[in-house]
Coordinates of all heavy atoms in Angstrom, one line a residue:
R1377 N 2.9 -20.9 -5.1 CA 4.3 -21.0 -5.3 C 4.6 -20.5 -6.7 O 5.8 -20.0 -6.9 CB 4.7 -22.4 -5.2 CG 4.7 -23.0 -3.7 CD 5.5 -24.3 -3.6 NE 5.5 -24.8 -2.3 CZ 4.9 -25.9 -1.8 NH1 3.9 -26.5 -2.7 NH2 4.9 -26.3 -0.6
E1378 N 3.8 -20.8 -7.7 CA 4.0 -20.5 -9.0 C 4.0 -18.8 -9.2 O 4.9 -18.3 -9.8 CB 2.9 -21.0 -9.9 CG 3.0 -22.5 -10.2 CD 1.9 -23.1 -10.9 OE1 0.9 -22.2 -11.4 OE2 1.6 -24.2 -11.1
V1379 N 3.1 -18.2 -8.4 CA 3.1 -16.7 -8.4 C 4.4 -16.2 -7.8 O 5.1 -15.3 -8.3 CB 2.0 -16.2 -7.6 CG1 2.0 -14.6 -7.5 CG2 0.6 -16.6 -8.3
A1380 N 4.8 -16.8 -6.6 CA 6.1 -16.3 -6.0 C 7.3 -16.5 -6.9 O 8.1 -15.7 -7.0 CB 6.3 -17.1 -4.8
K1381 N 7.3 -17.7 -7.7 CA 8.4 -17.9 -8.7 C 8.4 -17.0 -9.8 O 9.5 -16.4 -10.2 CB 8.2 -19.3 -9.2 CG 9.5 -19.8 -10.1 CD 9.4 -21.1 -10.5 CE 10.7 -21.6 -11.3 NZ 11.0 -20.6 -12.4
K1382 N 7.3 -16.6 -10.2 CA 7.2 -15.6 -11.4 C 7.8 -14.3 -10.9 O 8.5 -13.6 -11.7 CB 5.6 -15.3 -11.7 CG 5.1 -16.4 -12.7 CD 3.7 -16.1 -13.1 CE 3.3 -16.9 -14.2 NZ 3.0 -18.4 -13.7
F1383 N 7.7 -13.8 -9.7 CA 8.2 -12.6 -9.1 C 9.7 -12.8 -8.9 O 10.5 -12.0 -9.2 CB 7.5 -12.2 -8.0 CG 6.3 -11.4 -8.2 CD1 5.0 -11.9 -8.2 CD2 6.4 -10.1 -8.4 CE1 3.8 -11.1 -8.4 CE2 5.3 -9.2 -8.8 CZ 4.0 -9.8 -8.7
M1384 N 10.1 -14.0 -8.5 CA 11.5 -14.2 -8.2 C 12.2 -14.3 -9.6 O 13.5 -13.9 -9.6 CB 11.7 -15.6 -7.5 CG 11.4 -15.5 -6.0 SD 11.9 -17.0 -5.1 CE 10.5 -18.1 -5.7
D1385 N 11.6 -14.6 -10.6 CA 12.3 -14.6 -11.9 C 12.2 -13.3 -12.7 O 12.7 -13.2 -13.8 CB 11.6 -15.7 -12.8 CG 11.9 -17.1 -12.3 OD1 12.8 -17.3 -11.6 OD2 11.2 -18.0 -12.7
S1386 N 11.6 -12.4 -12.0 CA 11.4 -11.0 -12.6 C 12.1 -9.9 -11.7 O 12.3 -10.0 -10.6 CB 9.9 -10.7 -12.6 OG 9.7 -9.4 -12.9
P1387 N 12.5 -8.8 -12.4 CA 13.0 -7.7 -11.6 C 12.0 -6.9 -10.9 O 12.3 -6.0 -10.0 CB 13.6 -6.8 -12.7 CG 12.9 -7.1 -13.9 CD 12.5 -8.6 -13.8
V1388 N 10.7 -7.3 -11.0 CA 9.7 -6.6 -10.4 C 9.4 -7.1 -9.0 O 9.2 -8.4 -8.8 CB 8.3 -6.7 -11.2 CG1 7.2 -5.9 -10.5 CG2 8.5 -6.1 -12.7
T1389 N 9.3 -6.4 -8.0 CA 9.0 -6.8 -6.5 C 7.5 -6.7 -6.4 O 6.8 -5.8 -6.7 CB 9.7 -5.9 -5.8 OG1 11.2 -5.9 -5.8 CG2 9.5 -6.1 -4.2
L1390 N 7.1 -7.8 -5.7 CA 5.6 -7.8 -5.2 C 5.7 -7.1 -3.9 O 6.2 -7.6 -2.8 CB 5.2 -9.2 -5.0 CG 3.8 -9.4 -4.4 CD1 2.9 -8.5 -5.1 CD2 3.4 -10.8 -4.3
V1391 N 5.2 -5.9 -3.8 CA 5.2 -5.1 -2.7 C 4.1 -5.5 -1.7 O 4.3 -5.4 -0.4 CB 5.0 -3.5 -2.9 CG1 5.1 -2.8 -1.7 CG2 6.1 -3.1 -3.9
G1392 N 3.1 -6.0 -2.2 CA 2.0 -6.5 -1.4 C 0.6 -6.6 -2.0 O 0.5 -6.4 -3.2
I1393 N -0.5 -7.0 -1.2 CA -1.8 -7.1 -1.7 C -2.6 -5.9 -1.3 O -2.6 -5.5 -0.2 CB -2.4 -8.4 -1.2 CG1 -1.5 -9.6 -1.6 CG2 -3.8 -8.5 -1.6 CD1 -1.5 -9.9 -2.9
G1394 N -3.4 -5.4 -2.3 CA -4.3 -4.4 -2.0 C -5.8 -4.9 -1.8 O -6.4 -5.1 -2.7
S1395 N -6.1 -5.1 -0.5 CA -7.5 -5.7 -0.2 C -8.4 -4.4 -0.2 O -8.1 -3.3 -0.2 CB -7.5 -6.4 1.0 OG -7.6 -5.6 2.2
N1396 N -9.7 -4.8 -0.1 CA -10.8 -3.8 0.0 C -11.5 -3.9 1.4 O -12.6 -3.4 1.6 CB -11.8 -4.0 -1.1 CG -12.7 -2.7 -1.2 OD1 -12.2 -1.6 -1.0 ND2 -13.9 -2.9 -1.6
E1397 N -10.8 -4.6 2.4 CA -11.4 -4.9 3.7 C -11.4 -3.7 4.6 O -10.4 -2.9 4.4 CB -10.7 -6.0 4.4 CG -10.6 -7.3 3.6 CD -12.1 -7.8 3.1 OE1 -13.1 -7.5 3.8 OE2 -12.1 -8.2 2.0
R1398 N -12.5 -3.4 5.3 CA -12.6 -2.2 6.2 C -13.3 -2.6 7.4 O -14.0 -3.6 7.5 CB -13.4 -1.2 5.4 CG -14.7 -1.7 4.7 CD -15.4 -0.9 3.9 NE -14.7 -0.9 2.5 CZ -14.8 -0.1 1.5 NH1 -15.7 1.0 1.6 NH2 -14.2 -0.2 0.3
Y1399 N -13.0 -1.8 8.5 CA -13.4 -2.1 9.8 C -14.4 -1.2 10.5 O -14.4 -1.1 11.8 CB -12.1 -2.4 10.6 CG -11.2 -3.2 10.0 CD1 -9.9 -2.5 9.6 CD2 -11.3 -4.5 9.7 CE1 -8.9 -3.2 8.9 CE2 -10.4 -5.2 9.0 CZ -9.2 -4.6 8.6 OH -8.2 -5.3 7.9
D1400 N -15.2 -0.5 9.8 CA -16.1 0.5 10.3 C -17.4 0.0 10.5 O -18.2 0.7 11.2 CB -16.1 1.7 9.4 CG -16.7 1.3 7.9 OD1 -15.9 0.6 7.2 OD2 -17.9 1.5 7.6
N1401 N -17.9 -1.1 10.1 CA -19.3 -1.5 10.0 C -19.8 -1.8 11.5 O -19.1 -2.5 12.1 CB -19.6 -2.7 9.1 CG -21.0 -2.7 8.7 OD1 -21.9 -3.0 9.6 ND2 -21.3 -2.6 7.5
P1402 N -20.9 -1.2 11.8 CA -21.4 -1.6 13.3 C -21.9 -2.9 13.4 O -22.2 -3.5 14.6 CB -22.4 -0.5 13.6 CG -22.8 -0.1 12.2 CD -21.7 -0.2 11.3
D1403 N -22.2 -3.6 12.2 CA -22.8 -5.0 12.3 C -21.6 -5.9 12.7 O -20.6 -6.0 11.9 CB -23.4 -5.4 11.0 CG -24.0 -6.7 10.9 OD1 -23.4 -7.7 11.5 OD2 -25.2 -6.8 10.5
A1404 N -21.7 -6.6 13.9 CA -20.6 -7.5 14.3 C -20.3 -8.6 13.3 O -19.1 -8.9 13.2 CB -21.1 -8.0 15.7
D1405 N -21.3 -9.1 12.7 CA -21.0 -10.2 11.7 C -20.2 -9.7 10.5 O -19.3 -10.4 10.0 CB -22.3 -10.9 11.3 CG -23.0 -11.7 12.4 OD1 -22.3 -12.1 13.2 OD2 -24.2 -11.9 12.3

Side-chain angles (χ1 to χ4, degrees):
R1377 287 197 183 103
E1378 289 174 4
V1379 171
K1381 186 177 186 304
K1382 282 184 171 66
F1383 276 96
M1384 283 189 283
D1385 292 341
S1386 167
V1388 179
T1389 295
L1390 173 54
V1391 180
I1393 300 293
S1395 85
N1396 198 35
E1397 302 309 320
R1398 52 195 75 192
Y1399 311 116
D1400 59 288
N1401 201 297
D1403 186 314
D1405 289 336

